[in-house]
Amino acid sequence: MKEQGVKEKRSSASPRVRGWCPGAWRPMATGDGLLVRVRPPLGRLTRARMLSLCEAAETWGNGLIEQTRRANLQLRGVSEAGWPELMAFLVEHGLAAPDAEGERRPALLLAPDWREGDATHEAARLLERRLADWPALPDKWGLALDAGPAPVLRDVPADLRLERSREGGLLVRADGREWGTPVADVEAAVELMTRLAHWFVDAGGLAAGRMRRLTAPLPGWAAADTEPAAAPQASDAASGLTPGPHPAGRVVGLPFGRATAASLRAAMCDEAITGVRVTPWRRLLLEGEGANSNMKDGAPDDGLIHDARDPRLAMDACPGAPFCAQASVATHGLAQSLAERRSEGPGESAAGRLHVSGCAKGCARSGPAEVCLTGRDGRYDLILGGRADDTPVATGLGESDAIEYWETRDALRL
């Protein structure tokens, strides 16, 4: 291992940053074919649509379904020749917009615990009707609708946020600003978001790309003078989305954000399951009384995560090689090996987070992790307390080196 001590960004060749996210109408070429991303309307798919997505993954993809940090689902391994047939299928089954224009509108990310008619749900319904009149915005633009008692989407990328104030009222907060603008009701919130989207464009936001990178001061009619409600320490735990029973059904985890279509179909086998909500935490909320029917004899061996103590819940790993053309190392095999050696549960206060990244982009986790292993030139860099693109403390590690470090580190904790 080569030791390094300078705390700065690495000077090695950086991976290619495309500046846009794939969709259904705009798939992205990767190491295993086209990547086709599906946006579940309001973050939810009915049981029928989820089963249709499983069929699509097996018919036109490689049989895998992945869950993204923005609560989307994606198919891998789609061929260019098969993509037109796939798109016709997705549109027919309500899994894609009928045209590319509908997909270019800002994504709506809802706090997964929304209820019919509450502020989060109502804002989403109003925005669905208004977004067609919004200006053209950068591809990665999105809105976080997070109007529950406490915000749970603070760590999820978004440009405008609907949240609660510390006093309990509604506010709209531009990403990158600590405080927000109070509004009287949901209609006023949607109107303010619409005005801010137009202001963003007029203020030079297209060049900045994202709201947090726009340095222009907010207009007087959107003064950020109201403190938002405090976020809990662990947003996914705060919303009750740990694997296991849930008031609305059952929560299951996807190991490193991926599962086979066969596994997901098996989880949806009971017709009493009404739908599935997609979260930004690589967990799915299966709705309905039937969600717990296959748990009578213990957790099934279906490739999903059913135990809240599973160490993989505190680990992030991108698809890696050969799935991603920019990754120089495989990720899931190493992440699984490290999970099997983990001595404590998934809580941040136990062993902390582990991030295994195929390259320095850090697609699986943009924030720092206690331990990060980043692929470079077919080997791994070791980064402590940083992101995938931070300066490593050791370079040129093989898988056995990484495993040895992990086992030594865990032994020192005992």
Side-chain angles (χ1 to χ4, degrees):
M1 289 184 282
K2 299 177 182 179
E3 301 296 333
Q4 295 191 23
V6 181
K7 202 63 177 175
E8 58 185 20
K9 299 295 182 183
R10 289 182 295 177
S11 59
S12 59
S14 298
R16 180 185 176 192
V17 179
R18 297 176 189 262
W20 56 277
C21 291
W25 285 101
R26 192 185 185 188
M28 179 180 288
T30 62
D32 60 341
L34 296 180
L35 181 67
V36 178
R37 187 167 293 175
V38 172
R39 287 186 189 177
L42 305 186
R44 179 184 185 273
L45 292 178
T46 64
R47 178 175 180 272
R49 285 181 175 176
M50 189 67 201
L51 293 176
S52 294
L53 187 65
C54 292
E55 180 182 349
E58 293 176 331
T59 303
W60 290 281
N62 59 9
L64 294 174
I65 295 178
E66 294 179 338
Q67 188 176 5
T68 76
R69 292 189 299 137
R70 295 190 181 187
N72 295 315
L73 297 170
Q74 59 192 25
L75 311 182
R76 303 196 69 97
V78 177
S79 69
E80 292 189 10
W83 176 76
E85 290 184 1
L86 170 62
M87 281 306 304
F89 181 90
L90 294 179
V91 171
E92 177 186 355
H93 290 83
L95 292 167
D99 54 48
E101 185 63 31
E103 190 175 79
R104 282 195 288 267
R105 296 166 188 164
L108 300 181
L109 178 62
L110 282 68
D113 56 354
W114 61 266
R115 296 186 179 184
E116 190 90 20
D118 69 7
T120 295
H121 177 253
E122 185 60 25
R125 288 298 192 190
L126 290 175
L127 282 165
E128 281 187 323
R129 297 195 289 267
R130 294 287 300 274
L131 286 178
D133 300 325
W134 278 36
L137 293 161
D139 287 328
K140 290 192 174 184
W141 241 67
L143 311 177
L145 307 179
D146 196 11
V152 297
L153 300 177
R154 287 276 170 85
D155 294 333
V156 180
D159 294 271
L160 293 175
R161 301 175 183 274
L162 175 64
E163 298 177 342
R164 292 284 175 182
S165 69
R166 186 171 289 276
E167 290 73 30
L170 291 174
L171 60 79
V172 172
R173 187 167 64 86
D175 197 42
R177 280 74 173 179
E178 293 186 3
W179 288 19
T181 306
V183 290
D185 51 32
V186 171
E187 289 189 6
V190 171
E191 178 62 30
L192 180 58
M193 285 182 158
T194 302
R195 293 186 69 186
L196 281 170
H198 285 278
W199 168 83
F200 174 84
V201 173
D202 294 339
L206 295 182
R210 301 302 300 271
M211 179 67 80
R212 69 176 181 272
R213 293 199 291 262
L214 181 61
T215 58
L218 290 170
W221 44 263
D225 56 9
T226 301
E227 186 177 5
Q233 290 185 346
S235 57
D236 55 326
S239 57
L241 291 174
T242 54
H246 184 278
R250 185 170 192 85
V251 175
V252 298
L254 274 63
F256 313 122
R258 173 184 289 183
T260 64
S263 294
L264 294 172
R265 183 185 295 109
M268 302 287 294
C269 64
D270 196 304
E271 294 184 0
I273 295 176
T274 57
V276 56
R277 296 193 187 188
V278 186
T279 81
W281 307 299
R282 302 184 179 98
R283 296 147 166 82
L284 298 176
L285 171 56
L286 308 181
E287 300 176 340
E289 297 178 359
N292 293 296
S293 62
N294 62 344
M295 301 296 292
K296 295 178 182 178
D297 299 322
D301 184 16
D302 58 5
L304 303 178
I305 297 176
H306 298 276
D307 188 347
R309 299 167 299 177
D310 193 303
R312 292 172 295 180
L313 295 172
M315 302 172 73
D316 305 288
C318 67
F323 300 99
C324 177
Q326 301 200 63
S328 68
V329 295
T331 55
H332 284 199
L334 175 58
Q336 181 63 37
S337 295
L338 296 177
E340 292 169 358
R341 291 165 168 80
R342 196 154 201 169
S343 63
E344 297 187 75
E348 295 281 357
S349 61
R353 292 207 72 87
L354 168 68
H355 180 192
V356 183
S357 184
C359 72
K361 283 177 65 178
C363 293
R365 183 176 180 83
S366 56
E370 185 181 61
V371 177
C372 180
L373 292 163
T374 299
R376 183 160 62 97
D377 300 329
R379 308 285 283 181
Y380 296 90
D381 289 348
L382 172 64
I383 299 158
L384 301 179
R387 308 187 320 172
D389 61 347
D390 281 330
T391 298
V393 298
T395 63
L397 279 67
E399 286 198 9
S400 59
D401 298 320
I403 292 172
E404 180 183 358
Y405 168 80
W406 191 255
E407 290 180 328
T408 302
R409 169 182 169 277
D410 265 7
L412 292 175
R413 290 178 175 274
L414 300 179

PDB file of all heavy atoms in Angstrom, residues 75-105:
ATOM      1  N   LEU A  75     -33.879   0.075 -15.006  1.00  0.00           N
ATOM      2  CA  LEU A  75     -33.579  -1.195 -15.639  1.00  0.00           C
ATOM      3  C   LEU A  75     -32.202  -1.107 -16.281  1.00  0.00           C
ATOM      4  O   LEU A  75     -31.825  -0.060 -16.809  1.00  0.00           O
ATOM      5  CB  LEU A  75     -34.625  -1.528 -16.712  1.00  0.00           C
ATOM      6  CG  LEU A  75     -36.092  -1.408 -16.312  1.00  0.00           C
ATOM      7  CD1 LEU A  75     -36.985  -1.830 -17.468  1.00  0.00           C
ATOM      8  CD2 LEU A  75     -36.391  -2.226 -15.070  1.00  0.00           C
ATOM      9  N   ARG A  76     -31.470  -2.201 -16.269  1.00  0.00           N
ATOM     10  CA  ARG A  76     -30.129  -2.248 -16.842  1.00  0.00           C
ATOM     11  C   ARG A  76     -30.089  -3.261 -17.981  1.00  0.00           C
ATOM     12  O   ARG A  76     -30.923  -4.152 -18.079  1.00  0.00           O
ATOM     13  CB  ARG A  76     -29.095  -2.646 -15.796  1.00  0.00           C
ATOM     14  CG  ARG A  76     -29.039  -1.767 -14.566  1.00  0.00           C
ATOM     15  CD  ARG A  76     -27.749  -2.011 -13.815  1.00  0.00           C
ATOM     16  NE  ARG A  76     -26.614  -1.521 -14.575  1.00  0.00           N
ATOM     17  CZ  ARG A  76     -26.061  -0.312 -14.369  1.00  0.00           C
ATOM     18  NH1 ARG A  76     -26.541   0.494 -13.441  1.00  0.00           N
ATOM     19  NH2 ARG A  76     -25.028   0.065 -15.097  1.00  0.00           N
ATOM     20  N   GLY A  77     -29.051  -3.112 -18.816  1.00  0.00           N
ATOM     21  CA  GLY A  77     -28.810  -4.109 -19.848  1.00  0.00           C
ATOM     22  C   GLY A  77     -29.773  -4.079 -21.009  1.00  0.00           C
ATOM     23  O   GLY A  77     -29.950  -5.087 -21.699  1.00  0.00           O
ATOM     24  N   VAL A  78     -30.410  -2.932 -21.253  1.00  0.00           N
ATOM     25  CA  VAL A  78     -31.349  -2.814 -22.373  1.00  0.00           C
ATOM     26  C   VAL A  78     -30.549  -2.566 -23.654  1.00  0.00           C
ATOM     27  O   VAL A  78     -29.641  -1.732 -23.680  1.00  0.00           O
ATOM     28  CB  VAL A  78     -32.346  -1.668 -22.128  1.00  0.00           C
ATOM     29  CG1 VAL A  78     -33.275  -1.490 -23.327  1.00  0.00           C
ATOM     30  CG2 VAL A  78     -33.141  -1.928 -20.853  1.00  0.00           C
ATOM     31  N   SER A  79     -30.875  -3.261 -24.722  1.00  0.00           N
ATOM     32  CA  SER A  79     -30.185  -3.064 -25.993  1.00  0.00           C
ATOM     33  C   SER A  79     -30.823  -1.907 -26.757  1.00  0.00           C
ATOM     34  O   SER A  79     -32.003  -1.580 -26.557  1.00  0.00           O
ATOM     35  CB  SER A  79     -30.245  -4.331 -26.841  1.00  0.00           C
ATOM     36  OG  SER A  79     -31.577  -4.572 -27.290  1.00  0.00           O
ATOM     37  N   GLU A  80     -30.052  -1.306 -27.635  1.00  0.00           N
ATOM     38  CA  GLU A  80     -30.591  -0.222 -28.457  1.00  0.00           C
ATOM     39  C   GLU A  80     -31.707  -0.736 -29.356  1.00  0.00           C
ATOM     40  O   GLU A  80     -32.689  -0.026 -29.598  1.00  0.00           O
ATOM     41  CB  GLU A  80     -29.472   0.411 -29.287  1.00  0.00           C
ATOM     42  CG  GLU A  80     -28.455   1.175 -28.454  1.00  0.00           C
ATOM     43  CD  GLU A  80     -27.488   1.960 -29.315  1.00  0.00           C
ATOM     44  OE1 GLU A  80     -27.729   2.059 -30.539  1.00  0.00           O
ATOM     45  OE2 GLU A  80     -26.495   2.478 -28.768  1.00  0.00           O
ATOM     46  N   ALA A  81     -31.579  -1.962 -29.828  1.00  0.00           N
ATOM     47  CA  ALA A  81     -32.610  -2.525 -30.696  1.00  0.00           C
ATOM     48  C   ALA A  81     -33.905  -2.784 -29.928  1.00  0.00           C
ATOM     49  O   ALA A  81     -35.008  -2.649 -30.477  1.00  0.00           O
ATOM     50  CB  ALA A  81     -32.101  -3.824 -31.328  1.00  0.00           C
ATOM     51  N   GLY A  82     -33.779  -3.161 -28.647  1.00  0.00           N
ATOM     52  CA  GLY A  82     -34.966  -3.471 -27.865  1.00  0.00           C
ATOM     53  C   GLY A  82     -35.612  -2.278 -27.205  1.00  0.00           C
ATOM     54  O   GLY A  82     -36.759  -2.363 -26.737  1.00  0.00           O
ATOM     55  N   TRP A  83     -34.896  -1.141 -27.156  1.00  0.00           N
ATOM     56  CA  TRP A  83     -35.409   0.023 -26.437  1.00  0.00           C
ATOM     57  C   TRP A  83     -36.750   0.532 -26.967  1.00  0.00           C
ATOM     58  O   TRP A  83     -37.644   0.852 -26.166  1.00  0.00           O
ATOM     59  CB  TRP A  83     -34.369   1.146 -26.446  1.00  0.00           C
ATOM     60  CG  TRP A  83     -34.853   2.409 -25.816  1.00  0.00           C
ATOM     61  CD1 TRP A  83     -34.999   2.667 -24.493  1.00  0.00           C
ATOM     62  CD2 TRP A  83     -35.287   3.591 -26.505  1.00  0.00           C
ATOM     63  NE1 TRP A  83     -35.476   3.934 -24.286  1.00  0.00           N
ATOM     64  CE2 TRP A  83     -35.665   4.524 -25.519  1.00  0.00           C
ATOM     65  CE3 TRP A  83     -35.372   3.937 -27.848  1.00  0.00           C
ATOM     66  CZ2 TRP A  83     -36.142   5.794 -25.841  1.00  0.00           C
ATOM     67  CZ3 TRP A  83     -35.847   5.207 -28.172  1.00  0.00           C
ATOM     68  CH2 TRP A  83     -36.213   6.116 -27.171  1.00  0.00           C
ATOM     69  N   PRO A  84     -36.982   0.634 -28.297  1.00  0.00           N
ATOM     70  CA  PRO A  84     -38.297   1.108 -28.761  1.00  0.00           C
ATOM     71  C   PRO A  84     -39.458   0.240 -28.274  1.00  0.00           C
ATOM     72  O   PRO A  84     -40.505   0.759 -27.877  1.00  0.00           O
ATOM     73  CB  PRO A  84     -38.157   1.074 -30.287  1.00  0.00           C
ATOM     74  CG  PRO A  84     -36.693   1.222 -30.540  1.00  0.00           C
ATOM     75  CD  PRO A  84     -36.044   0.454 -29.434  1.00  0.00           C
ATOM     76  N   GLU A  85     -39.280  -1.069 -28.284  1.00  0.00           N
ATOM     77  CA  GLU A  85     -40.344  -1.947 -27.792  1.00  0.00           C
ATOM     78  C   GLU A  85     -40.540  -1.758 -26.294  1.00  0.00           C
ATOM     79  O   GLU A  85     -41.680  -1.757 -25.795  1.00  0.00           O
ATOM     80  CB  GLU A  85     -40.003  -3.408 -28.084  1.00  0.00           C
ATOM     81  CG  GLU A  85     -40.067  -3.788 -29.549  1.00  0.00           C
ATOM     82  CD  GLU A  85     -39.824  -5.270 -29.749  1.00  0.00           C
ATOM     83  OE1 GLU A  85     -39.636  -5.983 -28.734  1.00  0.00           O
ATOM     84  OE2 GLU A  85     -39.820  -5.719 -30.908  1.00  0.00           O
ATOM     85  N   LEU A  86     -39.446  -1.609 -25.565  1.00  0.00           N
ATOM     86  CA  LEU A  86     -39.545  -1.355 -24.127  1.00  0.00           C
ATOM     87  C   LEU A  86     -40.325  -0.080 -23.861  1.00  0.00           C
ATOM     88  O   LEU A  86     -41.198  -0.044 -22.985  1.00  0.00           O
ATOM     89  CB  LEU A  86     -38.151  -1.267 -23.511  1.00  0.00           C
ATOM     90  CG  LEU A  86     -38.074  -0.762 -22.061  1.00  0.00           C
ATOM     91  CD1 LEU A  86     -38.815  -1.695 -21.120  1.00  0.00           C
ATOM     92  CD2 LEU A  86     -36.622  -0.588 -21.619  1.00  0.00           C
ATOM     93  N   MET A  87     -40.025   0.987 -24.603  1.00  0.00           N
ATOM     94  CA  MET A  87     -40.709   2.254 -24.374  1.00  0.00           C
ATOM     95  C   MET A  87     -42.200   2.134 -24.642  1.00  0.00           C
ATOM     96  O   MET A  87     -43.030   2.687 -23.895  1.00  0.00           O
ATOM     97  CB  MET A  87     -40.102   3.355 -25.256  1.00  0.00           C
ATOM     98  CG  MET A  87     -38.815   3.920 -24.717  1.00  0.00           C
ATOM     99  SD  MET A  87     -38.943   4.506 -23.002  1.00  0.00           S
ATOM    100  CE  MET A  87     -40.291   5.672 -23.138  1.00  0.00           C
ATOM    101  N   ALA A  88     -42.574   1.431 -25.688  1.00  0.00           N
ATOM    102  CA  ALA A  88     -43.997   1.241 -25.973  1.00  0.00           C
ATOM    103  C   ALA A  88     -44.672   0.520 -24.813  1.00  0.00           C
ATOM    104  O   ALA A  88     -45.797   0.850 -24.414  1.00  0.00           O
ATOM    105  CB  ALA A  88     -44.161   0.458 -27.278  1.00  0.00           C
ATOM    106  N   PHE A  89     -43.980  -0.461 -24.230  1.00  0.00           N
ATOM    107  CA  PHE A  89     -44.514  -1.205 -23.095  1.00  0.00           C
ATOM    108  C   PHE A  89     -44.643  -0.309 -21.868  1.00  0.00           C
ATOM    109  O   PHE A  89     -45.677  -0.323 -21.170  1.00  0.00           O
ATOM    110  CB  PHE A  89     -43.603  -2.396 -22.799  1.00  0.00           C
ATOM    111  CG  PHE A  89     -44.053  -3.261 -21.659  1.00  0.00           C
ATOM    112  CD1 PHE A  89     -44.900  -4.340 -21.872  1.00  0.00           C
ATOM    113  CD2 PHE A  89     -43.625  -3.009 -20.359  1.00  0.00           C
ATOM    114  CE1 PHE A  89     -45.309  -5.140 -20.817  1.00  0.00           C
ATOM    115  CE2 PHE A  89     -44.031  -3.798 -19.292  1.00  0.00           C
ATOM    116  CZ  PHE A  89     -44.878  -4.873 -19.525  1.00  0.00           C
ATOM    117  N   LEU A  90     -43.602   0.486 -21.581  1.00  0.00           N
ATOM    118  CA  LEU A  90     -43.636   1.357 -20.404  1.00  0.00           C
ATOM    119  C   LEU A  90     -44.751   2.389 -20.509  1.00  0.00           C
ATOM    120  O   LEU A  90     -45.464   2.662 -19.526  1.00  0.00           O
ATOM    121  CB  LEU A  90     -42.288   2.058 -20.238  1.00  0.00           C
ATOM    122  CG  LEU A  90     -41.080   1.165 -19.915  1.00  0.00           C
ATOM    123  CD1 LEU A  90     -39.808   2.008 -19.807  1.00  0.00           C
ATOM    124  CD2 LEU A  90     -41.304   0.369 -18.633  1.00  0.00           C
ATOM    125  N   VAL A  91     -44.923   2.979 -21.674  1.00  0.00           N
ATOM    126  CA  VAL A  91     -45.993   3.968 -21.861  1.00  0.00           C
ATOM    127  C   VAL A  91     -47.358   3.301 -21.712  1.00  0.00           C
ATOM    128  O   VAL A  91     -48.254   3.817 -21.041  1.00  0.00           O
ATOM    129  CB  VAL A  91     -45.855   4.657 -23.226  1.00  0.00           C
ATOM    130  CG1 VAL A  91     -47.082   5.518 -23.520  1.00  0.00           C
ATOM    131  CG2 VAL A  91     -44.590   5.508 -23.273  1.00  0.00           C
ATOM    132  N   GLU A  92     -47.531   2.142 -22.315  1.00  0.00           N
ATOM    133  CA  GLU A  92     -48.811   1.431 -22.256  1.00  0.00           C
ATOM    134  C   GLU A  92     -49.207   1.103 -20.827  1.00  0.00           C
ATOM    135  O   GLU A  92     -50.390   1.161 -20.469  1.00  0.00           O
ATOM    136  CB  GLU A  92     -48.721   0.146 -23.083  1.00  0.00           C
ATOM    137  CG  GLU A  92     -49.986  -0.702 -23.033  1.00  0.00           C
ATOM    138  CD  GLU A  92     -49.839  -2.035 -23.741  1.00  0.00           C
ATOM    139  OE1 GLU A  92     -48.767  -2.263 -24.364  1.00  0.00           O
ATOM    140  OE2 GLU A  92     -50.770  -2.858 -23.659  1.00  0.00           O
ATOM    141  N   HIS A  93     -48.233   0.802 -19.978  1.00  0.00           N
ATOM    142  CA  HIS A  93     -48.529   0.383 -18.602  1.00  0.00           C
ATOM    143  C   HIS A  93     -48.355   1.512 -17.589  1.00  0.00           C
ATOM    144  O   HIS A  93     -48.291   1.265 -16.382  1.00  0.00           O
ATOM    145  CB  HIS A  93     -47.654  -0.801 -18.223  1.00  0.00           C
ATOM    146  CG  HIS A  93     -48.014  -2.065 -18.941  1.00  0.00           C
ATOM    147  ND1 HIS A  93     -47.561  -2.350 -20.226  1.00  0.00           N
ATOM    148  CD2 HIS A  93     -48.818  -3.104 -18.588  1.00  0.00           C
ATOM    149  CE1 HIS A  93     -48.042  -3.518 -20.604  1.00  0.00           C
ATOM    150  NE2 HIS A  93     -48.804  -3.995 -19.638  1.00  0.00           N
ATOM    151  N   GLY A  94     -48.298   2.751 -18.069  1.00  0.00           N
ATOM    152  CA  GLY A  94     -48.247   3.896 -17.165  1.00  0.00           C
ATOM    153  C   GLY A  94     -46.945   4.048 -16.418  1.00  0.00           C
ATOM    154  O   GLY A  94     -46.903   4.680 -15.353  1.00  0.00           O
ATOM    155  N   LEU A  95     -45.840   3.514 -16.969  1.00  0.00           N
ATOM    156  CA  LEU A  95     -44.542   3.585 -16.314  1.00  0.00           C
ATOM    157  C   LEU A  95     -43.644   4.662 -16.906  1.00  0.00           C
ATOM    158  O   LEU A  95     -42.519   4.857 -16.439  1.00  0.00           O
ATOM    159  CB  LEU A  95     -43.850   2.223 -16.407  1.00  0.00           C
ATOM    160  CG  LEU A  95     -44.520   1.107 -15.596  1.00  0.00           C
ATOM    161  CD1 LEU A  95     -43.969  -0.252 -16.000  1.00  0.00           C
ATOM    162  CD2 LEU A  95     -44.341   1.327 -14.104  1.00  0.00           C
ATOM    163  N   ALA A  96     -44.099   5.335 -17.931  1.00  0.00           N
ATOM    164  CA  ALA A  96     -43.337   6.413 -18.549  1.00  0.00           C
ATOM    165  C   ALA A  96     -44.310   7.421 -19.129  1.00  0.00           C
ATOM    166  O   ALA A  96     -45.448   7.086 -19.481  1.00  0.00           O
ATOM    167  CB  ALA A  96     -42.410   5.873 -19.647  1.00  0.00           C
ATOM    168  N   ALA A  97     -43.871   8.677 -19.220  1.00  0.00           N
ATOM    169  CA  ALA A  97     -44.686   9.724 -19.839  1.00  0.00           C
ATOM    170  C   ALA A  97     -44.917   9.383 -21.308  1.00  0.00           C
ATOM    171  O   ALA A  97     -44.095   8.720 -21.942  1.00  0.00           O
ATOM    172  CB  ALA A  97     -43.984  11.069 -19.715  1.00  0.00           C
ATOM    173  N   PRO A  98     -46.024   9.816 -21.872  1.00  0.00           N
ATOM    174  CA  PRO A  98     -46.306   9.480 -23.275  1.00  0.00           C
ATOM    175  C   PRO A  98     -45.364  10.118 -24.272  1.00  0.00           C
ATOM    176  O   PRO A  98     -45.326   9.714 -25.431  1.00  0.00           O
ATOM    177  CB  PRO A  98     -47.743   9.972 -23.472  1.00  0.00           C
ATOM    178  CG  PRO A  98     -47.969  10.975 -22.396  1.00  0.00           C
ATOM    179  CD  PRO A  98     -47.144  10.533 -21.237  1.00  0.00           C
ATOM    180  N   ASP A  99     -44.594  11.126 -23.851  1.00  0.00           N
ATOM    181  CA  ASP A  99     -43.625  11.744 -24.744  1.00  0.00           C
ATOM    182  C   ASP A  99     -42.442  12.257 -23.934  1.00  0.00           C
ATOM    183  O   ASP A  99     -42.489  12.336 -22.706  1.00  0.00           O
ATOM    184  CB  ASP A  99     -44.262  12.887 -25.553  1.00  0.00           C
ATOM    185  CG  ASP A  99     -44.948  13.914 -24.676  1.00  0.00           C
ATOM    186  OD1 ASP A  99     -44.331  14.358 -23.678  1.00  0.00           O
ATOM    187  OD2 ASP A  99     -46.101  14.281 -24.958  1.00  0.00           O
ATOM    188  N   ALA A 100     -41.381  12.612 -24.655  1.00  0.00           N
ATOM    189  CA  ALA A 100     -40.159  13.044 -23.982  1.00  0.00           C
ATOM    190  C   ALA A 100     -40.343  14.353 -23.239  1.00  0.00           C
ATOM    191  O   ALA A 100     -39.667  14.611 -22.238  1.00  0.00           O
ATOM    192  CB  ALA A 100     -39.025  13.160 -24.997  1.00  0.00           C
ATOM    193  N   GLU A 101     -41.252  15.193 -23.696  1.00  0.00           N
ATOM    194  CA  GLU A 101     -41.466  16.490 -23.053  1.00  0.00           C
ATOM    195  C   GLU A 101     -41.931  16.319 -21.612  1.00  0.00           C
ATOM    196  O   GLU A 101     -41.482  17.037 -20.714  1.00  0.00           O
ATOM    197  CB  GLU A 101     -42.490  17.300 -23.834  1.00  0.00           C
ATOM    198  CG  GLU A 101     -42.695  18.716 -23.323  1.00  0.00           C
ATOM    199  CD  GLU A 101     -41.450  19.573 -23.421  1.00  0.00           C
ATOM    200  OE1 GLU A 101     -40.646  19.354 -24.350  1.00  0.00           O
ATOM    201  OE2 GLU A 101     -41.268  20.447 -22.552  1.00  0.00           O
ATOM    202  N   GLY A 102     -42.815  15.373 -21.372  1.00  0.00           N
ATOM    203  CA  GLY A 102     -43.304  15.140 -20.016  1.00  0.00           C
ATOM    204  C   GLY A 102     -42.211  14.696 -19.063  1.00  0.00           C
ATOM    205  O   GLY A 102     -42.243  14.996 -17.876  1.00  0.00           O
ATOM    206  N   GLU A 103     -41.204  13.991 -19.581  1.00  0.00           N
ATOM    207  CA  GLU A 103     -40.114  13.510 -18.732  1.00  0.00           C
ATOM    208  C   GLU A 103     -39.120  14.610 -18.384  1.00  0.00           C
ATOM    209  O   GLU A 103     -38.366  14.491 -17.427  1.00  0.00           O
ATOM    210  CB  GLU A 103     -39.395  12.369 -19.450  1.00  0.00           C
ATOM    211  CG  GLU A 103     -38.395  11.627 -18.595  1.00  0.00           C
ATOM    212  CD  GLU A 103     -37.804  10.441 -19.331  1.00  0.00           C
ATOM    213  OE1 GLU A 103     -36.899  10.648 -20.160  1.00  0.00           O
ATOM    214  OE2 GLU A 103     -38.258   9.317 -19.069  1.00  0.00           O
ATOM    215  N   ARG A 104     -39.110  15.700 -19.156  1.00  0.00           N
ATOM    216  CA  ARG A 104     -38.147  16.768 -18.908  1.00  0.00           C
ATOM    217  C   ARG A 104     -38.586  17.708 -17.790  1.00  0.00           C
ATOM    218  O   ARG A 104     -37.828  18.590 -17.384  1.00  0.00           O
ATOM    219  CB  ARG A 104     -37.901  17.571 -20.195  1.00  0.00           C
ATOM    220  CG  ARG A 104     -36.967  16.868 -21.167  1.00  0.00           C
ATOM    221  CD  ARG A 104     -36.468  17.820 -22.233  1.00  0.00           C
ATOM    222  NE  ARG A 104     -37.518  18.156 -23.182  1.00  0.00           N
ATOM    223  CZ  ARG A 104     -37.727  17.502 -24.325  1.00  0.00           C
ATOM    224  NH1 ARG A 104     -36.955  16.482 -24.639  1.00  0.00           N
ATOM    225  NH2 ARG A 104     -38.679  17.867 -25.144  1.00  0.00           N
ATOM    226  N   ARG A 105     -39.783  17.557 -17.287  1.00  0.00           N
ATOM    227  CA  ARG A 105     -40.242  18.412 -16.193  1.00  0.00           C
ATOM    228  C   ARG A 105     -39.533  18.037 -14.895  1.00  0.00           C
ATOM    229  O   ARG A 105     -39.094  16.902 -14.724  1.00  0.00           O
ATOM    230  CB  ARG A 105     -41.754  18.280 -16.031  1.00  0.00           C
ATOM    231  CG  ARG A 105     -42.534  18.772 -17.246  1.00  0.00           C
ATOM    232  CD  ARG A 105     -43.971  18.353 -17.228  1.00  0.00           C
ATOM    233  NE  ARG A 105     -44.635  18.688 -18.485  1.00  0.00           N
ATOM    234  CZ  ARG A 105     -45.801  18.178 -18.891  1.00  0.00           C
ATOM    235  NH1 ARG A 105     -46.427  17.292 -18.119  1.00  0.00           N
ATOM    236  NH2 ARG A 105     -46.316  18.525 -20.051  1.00  0.00           N
TER     237      ARG A 105
END
